[in-house]
Amino acid sequence: FSAGKNGVTCTAERFARANETGNLKNVTNAAGSVVDDLAHVGFLITKKFCLSYPNGIFSTIKVVSERESRSGVASLKLPVSFARRGSVLAVRVNQDLSMNVLLLLALFAVSSAAFSEDVALPSSSASRAVLHVLGVAQDAGYPQINCYEPRCLPVWAQPELGSGASMLALVVDGRRFHLFDAAPTLPHQLYQFWTKTGLTLSDLEGIWLTHAHMGHYAGLLHFGKEAASTYAVPVHAMPRMAAFLARNGPWSQLVSAQNIVVHQLTANRPVLIGAAKVTPWLVPHRDEFSETVGYLIEGPDKRAVYLPDIDKWQKWDQDLVAMLKTVDVALLDATFFSGDELPGRDIALIPHPTVLESMALLKSLPRPVRSRVVFTHMNHTNPLLDPGSKETQSVLALGFQIARIGDRFDL
């Protein structure tokens, strides 16, 4: 199968392994894995192709089935073009399996036509999605450069007390993951993630960027030839963000060398990634180089929002209170606890809703709804970074949550 400008990528090796047993159930399961994998690496069969040529698909099945029934064996060749491999793999299956395998592929082609908001998520019994917190600090991390004050000195001495910039990982079915943002301290954060899940860069199937401020995309540098030297890692970004990466070094080298492949997003248009669905929401922020988005991340059972940066809730075209009533987890901007954290600097030039402002806006909500709020993206001046601070205790007492590295949310 090949259609549309993106074509089709298929990990056909799963069929080869399954066919060694000659077991139809294994082949069926392998086909399901291929369908899942295709969705995750971001390639698709376009709606136009699937809706325009369904008869051609089934005619091909009929012709191949009749032809191979005479020879006693079915030979199925699938184009393979994916990261770390590039060849044509011939998969031979027994005659009694040929029709079943071809039907599975045709069903995949038709179902892939709705690689967007039209596709329902898999049931929780079939798939699983888990959101992991990899970082909770503002862009520059905690502690920040040149901070030798009492709040920072213990963290310099015990790095495990600190944090890299705000970042999430979405693990799908326990065997692959997507990153939300790419922090400058990405290697350390991925190491911590590996100790919990055993997943490595070879299991990474996509990166979803929120915007072009240092803590959210600088980690892409680690995918270049000086470091991991990856091949064709999908990076999902809004149009201005995608253009920024393509036109400005050193990011443009990642694009030209195909260390990453940038996929443009459209605001409010969902993208299905196996057991989850991701929708970018535009939010008002200091958009010097790119748009800024938050992400709605939907699993089989629950919905989460990741919104680490926004100027003010009142500037957003969505109502925060109404939004909270529709989700189960909301990881929200908590850059500053209050407006007096940066003496000598005009905080109006770096606008964010303070934690005090956000809590005041949400205080009338029932406690179960308030508990859906998880504050993240905390500046190194924010006392919420200290689990023992009185500010931390006051926030928890009101029913709100504070993100910590290692937190996980089943979706």
Side-chain angles (χ1 to χ4, degrees), residues 148-377:
Y148 307 117
E149 298 181 19
R151 66 175 180 272
C152 294
L153 289 177
V155 188
W156 289 122
Q158 295 178 275
E160 66 274 12
L161 299 177
S163 174
S166 175
M167 189 167 69
L168 302 177
L170 178 68
V171 177
V172 182
D173 295 335
R175 59 191 177 88
R176 52 186 177 270
F177 71 100
H178 291 249
L179 289 175
F180 288 84
D181 282 332
T185 52
L186 180 68
H188 180 66
Q189 288 165 287
L190 286 182
Y191 165 73
Q192 292 178 309
F193 178 61
W194 170 77
T195 64
K196 302 292 185 183
T197 65
L199 298 175
T200 69
L201 271 187
S202 62
D203 305 302
L204 175 64
E205 295 198 338
I207 302 170
W208 304 74
L209 300 179
T210 57
H211 62 301
H213 285 165
M214 65 170 283
H216 302 269
Y217 77 108
L220 291 178
L221 288 174
H222 297 289
F223 293 90
K225 62 183 179 181
E226 299 89 349
S229 191
T230 56
Y231 177 72
V233 172
V235 173
H236 304 272
M238 295 295 288
R240 282 187 64 205
M241 181 81 228
F244 176 81
L245 294 173
R247 297 170 184 171
N248 296 277
W251 327 107
S252 56
Q253 182 172 296
L254 300 175
V255 176
S256 62
Q258 294 188 295
N259 299 124
I260 63 174
V261 176
V262 181
H263 299 267
Q264 277 197 28
L265 296 170
T266 301
N268 303 319
R269 180 176 294 177
V271 179
L272 187 67
I273 52 173
K277 186 162 62 174
V278 179
T279 305
W281 287 346
L282 284 170
V283 297
H285 193 42
R286 296 175 288 111
D287 295 339
E288 301 95 336
F289 303 115
S290 75
E291 315 89 335
T292 301
V293 295
Y295 287 107
L296 173 64
I297 307 165
E298 301 176 78
D301 298 314
K302 295 182 179 180
R303 293 153 53 97
V305 166
Y306 175 56
L307 207 163
D309 274 286
I310 190 170
D311 283 352
K312 293 292 180 182
W313 299 119
Q314 293 80 359
K315 293 183 178 182
W316 196 21
D317 61 5
Q318 292 200 44
D319 180 77
L320 177 62
V321 173
M323 182 271 288
L324 282 176
K325 295 177 180 178
T326 68
V327 301
D328 301 280
V329 179
L331 292 120
L332 302 182
D333 185 346
T335 304
F336 302 116
F337 181 77
S338 66
D340 57 2
E341 287 180 33
L342 297 179
R345 291 186 65 179
D346 184 358
I347 202 168
L349 298 178
I350 40 176
H352 290 271
T354 68
V355 172
L356 291 178
E357 291 172 349
S358 297
M359 292 194 300
L361 182 62
L362 305 173
K363 65 181 180 181
S364 62
L365 290 172
R367 190 180 183 92
V369 179
R370 294 201 303 272
S371 69
R372 300 172 187 177
V373 173
V374 184
F375 288 119
T376 191
H377 194 267

Side-chain angles (χ1 to χ4, degrees), residues 73-86:
V73 65
S75 179
L76 175 63
K77 291 191 176 183
L78 300 173
V80 178
S81 173
F82 60 104
R84 306 174 197 87
R85 295 178 179 84

Side-chain angles (χ1 to χ4, degrees), residues 60-77 102:
T60 301
I61 292 172
K62 184 175 184 296
V63 170
V64 172
S65 179
E66 291 174 351
R67 183 192 68 205
E68 300 298 352
S69 66
R70 294 192 295 270
S71 64
V73 65
S75 179
L76 175 63
K77 291 191 176 183
L102 288 169

